Amino acid sequence: MRRRGPALLLAVLLAGCAAPAPRPAGPAVELGDTPFFAQTAYRCGPAAAATVLSAASLPATPDELAPATYLPARRGTLQAELLASIRRRGGLPFVIAPDPAALQAELLAGRPVLVLQNLGLEQLPVWHYAVVIGVTPESNRVLLRSGTEPRHRMNWQRFMQTWDLAERWGLIVLRPGELPADPDPIRFLRASAALESVGLLDAAQASYAAALERWPAHPLALLGLANVAYARGDYRDAASRYRQLLAREPSNAIARNNLAETLVALGCPDAALNEIERALDLPAPAGALRAALEETRRQIVAAPREDGRHRAGCRR
Amino acid sequence: MRNRLFRELVCMVAAIGVVAATAVQPAAAAFVGTEQALAAAENATMARDDLSGWIARDDVRAQLVGLGVDPAEAAARVAALTDAELAEIGHHLDSLPAGGNVLALLGAVFVVLLVLDLVGVIDIFSRT
């Protein structure tokens, strides 16, 4: 009777395991040129980041990345800080769709994929970063640069189990201006907007420009380029880009709000007021967007009025 | 008459109070960045809608320093985070995965994991 204890526990734990994932599809691929950095204690994060950065021709070593990523008291690295450290090294970290097909598509495009794995259990997580460098469907294996192993061969189903427990989180490193295999513009623009948010304007601009080539006239890519111009203080360029977007989408309240901000910066509060009133008249704006529009209006009203010298320059 | 005067006085004091209260709050940024525009496009409300989600960069920097990060480096690390990433760390730091292959586990738990590893359910103790 006493002996049944461990067996019972094992049965309970095994029952928690989902049905095995199907075998991988598609052709075999192995990115054998991917560099390898053996991790030192708890530093799989910087090692994995150095691997994908170097593979994207942005040289980095784990020792260089550790001060920007390692959390001593947690003995590990947060996902957000991995993303941030890749941006700081000049890369564009792109979080792939949580899908093995997306992972394989990037491998086939020649890009290794940094993945988060939970090597333990849902309730007893053992978080680990590794880099997928290949998949061999005929032998049902995933190939990884992992820990101290340069070519860790892992059973596909077991890999999927560890990846599922980490919500299938994975990223690739793109050089600014480079596009992923993923056909979803929003996913790419989100990655590009993060560059803008932290003030990496050259990289953001290159990414938005690449997005516009692939998805012509995409309103969020046009907005991104205009916002970068504004952030640079290049207000004339910004105004003309917002107007270009508004010619296509007159009801774009965000573009009109930012155009109004730009006109204030150009010393044209009357024109700005006109734009913000039009934005506030739109039916859609609610919540924080309306609050932003109203704040813009307050700022415009508080701004010094146009004098004769300015007024001429304010006419389009 | 006196009653009316009193009411007006109360209204005025209240109005001043409201103005003063708004004045000390951080002004809502009026410029809308592309990150917020994307959030608006996806959720129909902007990310900043949730004021309780707002978190100061300094608070997160202090959290990182508390976890052993060098203060100067912590400032640079926080500056490289987007608002969304900052909020995620600020609010959920304790529950976020920190990849490090940590086995901060003892006794029975360790044995259970070792058994599961040997029978091939999990893969912590990597073997070549």
Side-chain angles (χ1 to χ4, degrees):
Chain A
M1 193 65 186
R2 263 185 301 150
R3 282 190 182 173
R4 276 189 201 163
L8 200 67
L9 177 61
L10 191 62
V12 168
L13 287 165
L14 283 170
C17 303
R23 289 173 75 96
V29 55
E30 177 171 3
L31 305 175
D33 291 344
T34 311
F36 171 63
F37 299 98
Q39 82 168 76
T40 53
Y42 315 122
R43 279 148 170 100
C44 57
T51 304
V52 286
L53 274 166
S54 301
S57 308
L58 297 164
T61 66
D63 284 349
E64 288 165 357
L65 294 173
T69 53
Y70 186 62
L71 271 185
R74 289 288 303 272
R75 291 184 175 172
T77 297
L78 301 175
Q79 290 152 283
E81 290 214 287
L82 268 190
L83 296 168
S85 72
I86 289 167
R87 286 185 212 118
R88 284 172 74 183
R89 303 293 298 201
L92 184 152
F94 176 82
V95 175
I96 64 167
D99 175 5
L103 186 149
Q104 285 178 280
E106 295 303 340
L107 289 174
L108 288 171
R111 287 182 280 262
V113 182
L114 186 159
V115 289
L116 178 67
Q117 297 175 279
N118 177 358
L119 301 178
L121 302 165
E122 196 173 355
Q123 301 302 324
L124 294 171
V126 178
W127 301 111
H128 179 61
Y129 294 109
V131 177
V132 179
I133 57 154
V135 176
T136 54
E138 75 285 356
S139 60
N140 196 36
R141 287 280 193 273
V142 179
L143 308 169
L144 303 121
R145 302 266 189 265
S146 177
T148 54
E149 291 185 57
R151 191 173 183 271
H152 182 49
R153 297 172 76 241
M154 203 171 180
N155 171 284
W156 172 264
Q157 283 76 23
R158 196 188 286 182
F159 166 76
M160 283 305 297
Q161 218 171 26
T162 65
W163 202 36
D164 282 343
L165 287 177
E167 295 178 357
R168 295 185 178 180
W169 191 81
L171 69 81
I172 54 167
V173 174
L174 300 168
R175 285 183 305 279
E178 191 185 357
L179 290 161
D182 193 310
D184 176 8
I186 295 297
R187 199 170 270 280
F188 181 70
L189 287 166
R190 203 186 294 140
S192 309
L195 296 170
E196 176 197 318
S197 292
V198 299
L200 295 166
L201 300 180
D202 289 343
Q205 185 176 354
S207 291
Y208 290 138
L212 271 184
E213 269 184 36
R214 172 130 169 217
W215 300 285
H218 195 290
L220 286 161
L222 289 170
L223 180 75
L225 280 177
N227 284 353
V228 167
Y230 178 91
R232 287 190 199 286
D234 195 349
Y235 299 125
R236 296 227 164 267
D237 184 37
S240 102
R241 288 179 184 278
Y242 289 127
R243 286 189 172 120
Q244 199 186 325
L245 172 53
L246 285 164
R248 293 178 163 276
E249 284 195 345
S251 64
N252 189 323
I254 292 174
R256 214 168 276 288
N257 175 74
N258 290 2
L259 173 59
E261 285 279 323
T262 309
L263 290 168
V264 172
L266 284 168
C268 306
D270 289 346
L273 193 61
N274 181 37
E275 296 295 342
I276 205 67
E277 297 288 7
R278 284 184 70 181
L280 281 163
D281 282 345
L282 292 168
L289 179 52
R290 176 157 284 275
L293 295 175
E294 279 163 2
E295 175 59 24
T296 303
R297 192 176 185 285
R298 260 194 301 279
Q299 287 180 4
I300 295 167
V301 172
R305 310 318 300 165
E306 290 165 21
D307 57 27
R309 185 167 48 88
H310 266 111
R311 212 171 293 136
C314 290
R315 289 201 199 98
R316 292 174 54 186
Chain B
M1 187 68 181
R2 178 176 288 191
N3 208 354
R4 199 177 135 200
L5 196 72
F6 178 71
R7 231 177 348 193
E8 278 177 4
L9 196 70
V10 168
C11 274
M12 213 161 77
V13 170
I16 290 168
V18 167
V19 170
T22 10
V24 293
Q25 275 178 359
F31 182 82
V32 181
T34 315
E35 193 189 355
Q36 285 86 29
L38 275 155
E42 282 163 50
N43 312 326
T45 58
M46 293 209 316
R48 292 185 307 195
D49 220 355
D50 180 12
L51 276 179
S52 64
W54 189 82
I55 187 130
R57 241 157 242 276
D58 260 1
D59 294 346
V60 175
R61 191 184 53 78
Q63 277 179 300
L64 295 187
V65 171
L67 291 173
V69 176
D70 172 73
E73 187 57 41
R77 281 165 73 153
V78 164
L81 294 169
T82 67
D83 287 350
E85 290 162 353
L86 204 67
E88 188 190 33
I89 294 180
H91 291 293
H92 309 290
L93 181 56
D94 293 340
S95 58
L96 288 176
N101 208 353
V102 187
L103 274 175
L105 311 163
L106 296 166
V109 167
F110 178 80
V111 173
V112 168
L113 286 180
L114 186 63
V115 169
L116 289 175
D117 193 77
L118 290 173
V119 300
V121 177
I122 56 175
D123 188 39
I124 305 174
F125 311 100
S126 38
R127 304 168 299 275
T128 23

